[in-house]
Amino acid sequence: MSIAYGVLKCKAIGRKAGTGAHPHFQIHGIAGGVQYRIAVNVKSQLHPSELLYYTDEWFEHEVTAGLPELPFGFTRLPNRPGGMALDYIRGNLFDRRNLVPLAFDVPGRDNDLNEKLEMYIKRAMDCEDAVLYAYGDPWGPEPKLPDTVFGFVPGSGVHDIHMNQGNSGSYAKDNGVYRDGGLLIHFPADRRWIAIFLAFQSQSWHTDDRTGSPLDWDGQTEHGPSPNAITAPEEAVTIVGAVVLPARRAGFATVTLLNASEQTVLLDGWSLANKLKQKYRLSGGIAPGQFRTLELEGQPDFLKQRGDIITLLDPRGLKVHGVSYTRRQVRPGWTIRF
């Protein structure tokens, strides 16, 4: 593992668009009097060069719950579920189908990655109480070297602000789980979070649960056979609702699935998983175009009232669909809609 993973909590005080052969959008941050540079990739060195980009302007996820309590500066984070670490695949942070490829420099207004990042970072700079959280790999401090972009001394910062798993070839050394990069901007007065997620088109979205290495169709990774590897399933079955807190004391939490396909889907061997990797085994099936509500009998605390994720796994443990919810969304007897 080559990434000393963590999150930088800071105030954004400057920015510069990415240019040249290896462009990065540069953010100047300050935390407790210490200056940092956040280097955000805006172009891939592998084909295709456009990064995958997604922004959630009203981000709600339990991963943010502890962030406001962190001290300003860089905090190392353990690479495990249930904490503040990001994992694009296992954390159900967003629906990857919403990612779009975006070039870093295109003629016109508000149509390239530089301009998207410029808009959000300027918004963070203009708001007095906005706080920026940059997830990635730190460098420095470099006592004798001024920063190459903003000129402060000592030079230090954070990079790898993107998905850090599913890499092949020379970039495979960066693979890991619960160590993905990203940008979160908190506006406390509005109780609002903006999330920015970036990935390379060359990265795999089915990775080994231990190493983060891409899964091959034959079940092999660079570290040997994986029991999880199968042909990537179509997302015919999705999670559309959940009752976390039953209205009746003796009732059960429920999860509702939808089969959007034209064929019956058998759920024997499938399972639901929460953020702590606990699993609830499924059976039976769902007819074409139908909903099925599952009562989670025997595991009363499977869905946590303080916020959790719900992941649907096929018989070999491959993710089919995933959602998340926060404490604020939990109401007695009410269904959370996804």
Side-chain angles (χ1 to χ4, degrees):
M1 296 173 61
S2 62
I3 295 178
Y5 183 71
V7 62
L8 170 65
K9 179 179 181 179
C10 66
K11 175 65 180 178
I13 59 173
R15 76 275 189 194
K16 183 177 180 182
T19 59
H22 304 284
H24 289 71
F25 186 92
Q26 308 288 355
I27 305 170
H28 190 181
I30 189 166
V34 179
Q35 299 182 70
Y36 298 86
R37 174 164 56 90
I38 303 164
V40 184
N41 289 73
V42 290
K43 180 182 179 182
S44 174
Q45 300 307 306
L46 300 177
H47 180 78
S49 64
E50 297 86 358
L51 264 69
L52 294 172
Y53 163 84
Y54 173 68
T55 296
D56 187 339
E57 295 205 357
W58 293 94
F59 183 62
E60 290 188 276
H61 195 286
E62 54 87 26
V63 76
T64 65
L67 290 178
E69 305 304 318
L70 290 179
F72 277 83
F74 188 82
T75 300
R76 290 287 301 271
L77 296 176
N79 308 115
R80 62 170 183 255
M84 290 176 278
L86 303 182
D87 190 301
Y88 285 15
I89 298 173
R90 296 159 189 83
N92 298 346
L93 301 167
F94 58 94
D95 187 335
R96 70 180 180 92
R97 293 173 296 179
N98 292 329
L99 287 163
V100 295
L102 198 60
F104 80 99
D105 189 11
V106 178
R109 297 183 58 185
D110 194 30
N111 60 355
D112 62 45
L113 191 48
N114 268 328
E115 291 167 336
K116 298 293 186 184
L117 293 171
E118 162 75 19
M119 177 180 64
Y120 290 114
I121 298 305
K122 183 180 185 301
R123 191 180 302 179
M125 292 172 60
D126 291 345
C127 182
E128 185 176 351
D129 68 345
V131 180
L132 176 64
Y133 296 84
Y135 282 82
D137 182 28
W139 79 80
E142 302 168 326
K144 298 182 180 180
L145 296 175
D147 183 75
T148 58
V149 176
F150 299 111
F152 59 83
V153 180
S156 62
V158 181
H159 63 160
D160 289 335
I161 315 293
H162 49 68
M163 181 170 164
N164 291 307
Q165 58 182 307
N167 296 295
S168 301
S170 61
Y171 294 99
K173 65 183 186 304
D174 294 332
N175 286 333
V177 297
Y178 293 97
R179 53 189 286 187
D180 288 329
L183 297 172
L184 301 181
I185 307 172
H186 187 206
F187 299 89
D190 297 333
R191 298 183 180 180
R192 179 181 182 183
W193 292 83
I194 292 177
I196 301 171
F197 301 115
L198 299 164
F200 299 110
Q201 295 188 61
S202 57
Q203 292 172 311
S204 172
W205 286 87
H206 296 293
T207 65
D208 185 270
D209 278 339
R210 181 177 61 87
T211 66
S213 299
L215 295 176
D216 294 332
W217 302 126
D218 61 0
Q220 296 292 319
T221 73
E222 60 181 326
H223 298 278
S226 171
N228 295 346
I230 63 169
T231 301
E234 297 180 4
E235 292 186 343
V237 183
T238 56
I239 302 167
V240 295
V243 176
V244 175
L245 186 59
R248 296 180 294 107
R249 181 174 299 180
F252 300 107
T254 65
V255 173
T256 299
L257 306 179
L258 167 65
N259 175 13
S261 76
E262 60 181 3
Q263 298 179 341
T264 297
V265 175
L266 298 178
L267 299 178
D268 295 336
W270 293 45
S271 61
L272 297 173
N274 59 21
K275 68 180 179 182
L276 298 180
K277 296 293 186 180
Q278 298 169 320
K279 293 184 179 180
Y280 187 88
R281 302 293 178 182
L282 307 182
S283 60
I286 312 179
Q290 297 299 305
F291 296 91
R292 181 178 172 192
T293 297
L294 308 165
E295 291 191 337
L296 306 184
E297 302 181 43
Q299 291 185 242
D301 197 35
F302 182 78
L303 299 181
K304 307 299 187 293
Q305 295 181 30
R306 62 179 180 272
D308 210 331
I309 68 173
I310 312 171
T311 303
L312 180 64
L313 303 172
D314 71 11
R316 298 192 187 181
L318 201 62
K319 178 179 174 179
V320 176
H321 189 238
V323 296
S324 68
Y325 62 90
T326 65
R327 181 196 297 268
R328 189 183 65 84
Q329 294 173 282
V330 177
R331 299 171 64 183
W334 281 68
T335 298
I336 302 171
R337 293 175 292 178
F338 302 112

